[in-house]
Amino acid sequence: MVNLPDLTPILPWYGKHRRDLPWRHTRDPYRIWVSEIMLQQTRVEAVIPYYERFLDALPTVAALATAPEAQILKLWEGLGYYSRVRNMQKAARTVMEAHNGVFPTTFEGILSLCGIGEYTAGAIASFAFDLPHPAVDGNVLRVAARLLAFEDDILAPTSKKQLTAAVAAAQPKDHAADFNQAMIELGATVCLPNGVPKCEECPLCAICRARAEGKETALPIRRKPAPRKKEHRTVLILRCGDKVALRQRPESGLLAGLFEPPVLDGIHSEAELLQFFTLRGITPLRVAPLGDAKHIFTHLEWHMVGFEVIIPEDGVDFLPSELFFAPREEIDRRYALPTAYRAYRPFM
Ligand code: ADE
């Protein structure tokens, strides 16, 4: 067991330096849950407008439980990791059906909901109900690893366990919420990643072992992630009159259920596309390059080239039945498209 020293100096520091964030004005577990799920993998500044919009549209667990899937995907459009919001809807239905519409008030009850792990359960339990559970996300792991001059890979399960236990033991039980927020805040604004901590602003500088040993920029240690797989794709903005072709992605897997323009595997040239369509009985009125784009997912990279392909009305019959044509304003209003296609959105 690794032991952290007294961390209570972060409480007055947090009182003075905390950012004024919308989810810090509520104790409603539903609102806190929405914020915490959005904040996984997404920066605070980017989350704020999504948070406001989502809660305006779906202000209660009941509203989320009954919302059409297209609406929740549209509200999430641009945030990525769409399984997060699908899992939220599953969990909302569980709250309605198994908990009489009342959000669970215990750590175990919260943890049992779909898509809620140890971190999120600890965050909701402490922020909404002041329950003394830790909330150790990547920010807090980094803070703890530096305070302890912890030399193992912080993402290894045993490291996470050790560091989480140390943070839990250091948590003042009568200030669970503020302590957890303060640790997150310290990691997000002072104990920064990528070798640039602002130690001179840190309320824990005097007790930080990494700092004392001159290792604050070298720590924490993170294993090198596996190299991302690369996929090459040709994106077709297929236009017929004032409408653009879309298809829905499969119900499971990457970007499940979202809408996208038709895509061919591999990188193709203008001449190859012309041949591709001609062979299928369609004579394009125009094939024009729209440039290259790249999108990086956690484990995957898409390297894309885009083309605008204008086809005549009578060409539509020769297209695969999975494609449908949508007018531009409907795409904006109704269909959630992955950010991966951002470079080609202006042409849709
Ligand atoms: N990141 C995760 N949870 C957060 C919170 N409650 N406030 C700010 N950033 C966060």
Side-chain angles (χ1 to χ4, degrees), residues 10-195:
I10 57 165
L11 294 174
W13 171 85
Y14 177 65
K16 200 161 160 209
H17 295 279
R18 57 187 274 171
R19 288 169 296 172
D20 183 18
L21 303 174
W23 46 87
R24 290 182 175 165
H25 293 280
T26 183
R27 308 219 93 189
D28 175 352
Y30 172 65
R31 301 177 87 84
I32 292 166
W33 176 37
V34 170
S35 75
E36 289 298 336
I37 299 296
M38 287 185 171
L39 285 161
Q40 292 168 11
Q41 326 267 2
T42 310
R43 288 172 309 106
V44 162
E45 303 74 44
V47 162
I48 292 172
Y50 280 94
Y51 173 81
E52 311 275 13
R53 200 166 56 113
F54 192 96
L55 289 169
D56 280 347
L58 305 172
T60 59
V61 182
L64 173 58
T66 53
E69 176 163 273
Q71 184 188 13
I72 63 169
L73 292 176
K74 191 70 193 165
L75 287 165
W76 211 263
E77 185 182 39
L79 278 175
Y81 305 93
Y82 291 83
S83 56
R84 293 185 288 172
V85 71
R86 290 167 189 276
N87 285 337
M88 283 188 77
Q89 185 167 56
K90 268 194 212 152
R93 290 178 177 157
T94 305
V95 171
M96 298 313 294
E97 288 157 19
H99 300 271
N100 291 322
V102 180
F103 203 91
T105 56
T106 64
F107 175 79
E108 291 73 20
I110 299 167
L111 184 63
S112 73
L113 295 174
C114 185
I116 297 190
E118 296 269 337
Y119 163 76
T120 306
I124 300 170
S126 59
F127 302 157
F129 307 117
D130 250 324
L131 295 173
H133 286 273
V136 181
D137 68 352
N139 282 319
V140 179
L141 277 180
R142 180 173 61 255
V143 172
R146 285 196 178 130
L147 286 169
L148 292 161
F150 190 82
E151 305 261 2
D152 294 337
D153 166 18
I154 54 163
L155 296 181
T158 51
S159 305
K160 263 190 174 174
K161 254 198 194 131
Q162 274 183 298
L163 293 170
T164 301
V167 173
Q171 182 184 50
K173 302 303 171 210
D174 49 349
H175 290 95
D178 278 354
F179 175 82
N180 286 349
Q181 290 277 14
M183 289 292 278
I184 292 168
E185 195 72 348
L186 192 69
T189 63
V190 173
C191 195
L192 299 175
N194 306 322

Side-chain angles (χ1 to χ4, degrees), residues 196-214:
V196 287
K198 299 179 179 169
C199 298
E200 56 301 335
E201 294 175 26
C202 180
L204 304 178
C205 186
I207 55 169
C208 180
R209 282 187 52 195
R211 173 78 169 169
E213 296 172 20

